[in-house]
Amino acid sequence: MSWNNQGGGPWKSPGRGPWGQGPFGPPPTGDLEEIIRRVQEALAKLTPGGSGGGGGKGFGGRGALFLVLAAVLLWFAWGTFYTVQPSEVGINLVFGRYTGKTAAGLNTNWPWPIGSVIKVPVWDQQITEVGYRSIGASADIPEESQMLTGDKNIVDVHFRVNWQIDPAKPEDYVFNILNPRETVKAVAESIMREVVGLKTIDGILTTDRASVEADVQKRMQDLLNTYRAGVLVKQVQLQSVDAPSQVLSAYRDVTAAQQDQQRAVNEAETYANKVVPEAEGGAARIVAEANAYREQTILEAKGQTSRYNQIYEQYKKAPGVTRERMYLETMEHVLGPMDKTIVDSNSASPPVPYIALEPLQSRTGASGK
């Protein structure tokens, strides 16, 4: 016998077994005997001589007993074996009491009404949507999606939870929670509100989405483990996070202004990063040039001092010769770059007055070059 856990299992009342007791309570002793007695009476009526007297009474009793035994064997053989699909785990019950779980394949259990089997699809991926529905006319459900952030702003949060039944503890999923889907949805919405309440609106709209998803998944799993719900939370995905539709346009304007402000700040920082190094480089170059000029001036002054000291030493040894040499060097330094013609007035043959000296000087200069 296969059934699911929606609506309280094989019995209608939550926490009640097929005999009116809890899933682990003792069964009454008279019900099985009553069922067997009724089956015997029904079979006796169907057999020849089952309802009459006379000589056929003994044959009818033996035939009824044979049919009862055949029915019991058929009932036992037919109801004992059952198949579990690869994506399922079987939960065995005997008189409503949990006795163990079975893997995929052919398995056995007591037939109904003594035993029953719950086949739980543990490998099927379940999806719970909060704040919206992907199927149906209502794309947004404000009572689920509107949440309050830590800085007292309202945001619309649409998200989905991917989960599955824990293959290691399917009995917890079957027996410990009455409505698993609603429980997972309630836990997801509650945890998401808690996490969003710890974030600012700017963070949850931009950089904190990944951390919100991971935090919600961990908190959900911890809480469901506390409930012993037998549920594994595989993933939490934020589908959309936005300001409420009533103020969405105004919020987008504020966001655009903040982006413009940030862009202006970035441009100013870029300009500063360009200008400041250039100014620092120029200042360093000026300081280096000043230091070089100072060193050059000091070295030149030291060189001049040393030269004059050497000249003075020579002057003390031979003042006349030194003065003559200094005079000649000075004249050479002063008159050297100038165009000049030296005429010895004491010469016996002075130059002819009409000879042009300038062409001669130009030609001499050109040949010297």
Side-chain angles (χ1 to χ4, degrees):
M1 174 183 176
S2 175
W3 55 280
N4 57 40
N5 194 35
Q6 306 301 319
W11 47 89
K12 298 300 181 181
S13 299
R16 307 291 292 176
W19 312 108
Q21 302 293 330
F24 302 100
T29 57
D31 287 353
L32 183 58
E33 296 176 359
E34 179 66 20
I35 292 173
I36 295 175
R37 185 181 64 78
R38 291 182 180 180
V39 171
Q40 288 177 344
E41 290 179 355
L43 292 175
K45 292 178 181 180
L46 296 176
T47 57
S51 57
K57 186 174 181 179
F59 174 78
R62 289 193 300 272
L65 181 60
F66 175 78
L67 291 177
V68 168
L69 292 177
V72 169
L73 291 176
L74 180 63
W75 162 75
F76 187 82
W78 179 263
T80 298
F81 298 96
Y82 66 93
T83 302
V84 177
Q85 299 299 322
S87 62
E88 298 174 336
V89 169
I91 304 293
N92 287 338
L93 303 176
V94 176
F95 293 120
R97 182 189 296 273
Y98 169 69
T99 59
K101 54 181 176 285
T102 55
L106 186 63
N107 299 279
T108 61
N109 190 29
W110 286 95
W112 184 87
I114 299 176
S116 59
V117 179
I118 306 171
K119 297 180 181 179
V120 185
V122 293
W123 298 112
D124 290 354
Q125 296 296 314
Q126 311 290 336
I127 296 177
T128 297
E129 298 171 336
V130 181
Y132 76 106
R133 298 295 182 269
S134 58
I135 300 176
S138 179
D140 180 53
I141 304 176
E143 59 269 19
E144 295 181 2
S145 64
Q146 290 187 355
M147 302 181 184
L148 191 65
T149 64
D151 53 356
K152 304 301 185 295
N153 287 292
I154 298 176
V155 291
D156 272 333
V157 180
H158 296 173
F159 69 101
R160 61 189 293 179
V161 179
N162 297 336
W163 58 278
Q164 70 178 56
I165 303 170
D166 189 353
K169 300 177 180 179
E171 64 276 12
D172 288 349
Y173 178 85
V174 173
F175 297 119
N176 292 343
I177 51 178
L178 178 62
N179 195 328
R181 292 183 179 275
E182 290 300 322
T183 301
V184 172
K185 180 176 175 296
V187 170
E189 182 178 349
S190 175
I191 295 297
M192 181 60 75
R193 291 185 184 277
E194 179 182 354
V195 174
V196 169
L198 300 175
K199 304 291 184 179
T200 63
I201 189 170
D202 291 333
I204 197 172
L205 290 177
T206 54
T207 58
D208 291 342
R209 295 174 65 107
S211 63
V212 167
E213 293 174 344
D215 196 10
V216 170
Q217 179 180 353
K218 181 180 182 303
R219 290 171 182 254
M220 280 189 64
Q221 189 64 68
D222 292 342
L223 185 57
L224 291 170
N225 290 343
T226 302
Y227 292 165
R228 296 179 61 192
V231 170
L232 292 179
V233 180
K234 306 299 291 184
Q235 188 179 28
V236 176
Q237 293 177 319
L238 286 172
Q239 301 300 104
S240 65
V241 181
D242 251 324
S245 57
Q246 296 84 347
V247 296
L248 184 57
S249 59
Y251 186 80
R252 286 176 177 171
D253 292 339
V254 173
T255 303
Q258 292 175 345
Q259 292 175 351
D260 292 340
Q261 178 188 12
Q262 187 62 41
R263 184 174 63 252
V265 171
N266 293 337
E267 291 176 354
E269 290 178 350
T270 301
Y271 178 73
N273 293 334
K274 177 183 178 182
V275 172
V276 171
E278 290 180 353
E280 292 177 348
R285 186 182 66 253
I286 293 173
V287 171
E289 291 177 352
N291 291 332
Y293 177 74
R294 182 187 63 181
E295 295 296 330
Q296 180 183 359
T297 303
I298 292 174
L299 293 176
E300 288 180 354
K302 289 181 179 180
Q304 293 290 344
T305 301
S306 177
R307 186 168 65 85
Y308 282 121
N309 289 334
Q310 292 176 1
I311 292 174
Y312 177 70
E313 292 296 330
Q314 297 300 322
Y315 177 78
K316 287 194 299 182
K317 294 179 182 179
V321 175
T322 304
R323 281 197 299 270
E324 183 70 19
R325 179 180 177 182
M326 291 176 63
Y327 173 77
L328 294 176
E329 289 178 353
T330 301
M331 290 298 102
E332 180 182 4
H333 178 72
V334 172
L335 300 177
M338 300 174 60
D339 293 335
K340 54 189 177 295
T341 301
I342 300 175
V343 178
D344 188 2
S345 59
N346 297 325
S347 175
S349 56
V352 180
Y354 56 80
I355 295 177
L357 298 178
E358 291 182 0
L360 294 176
Q361 293 171 352
S362 301
R363 191 162 47 249
T364 305
S367 62
K369 291 179 181 180

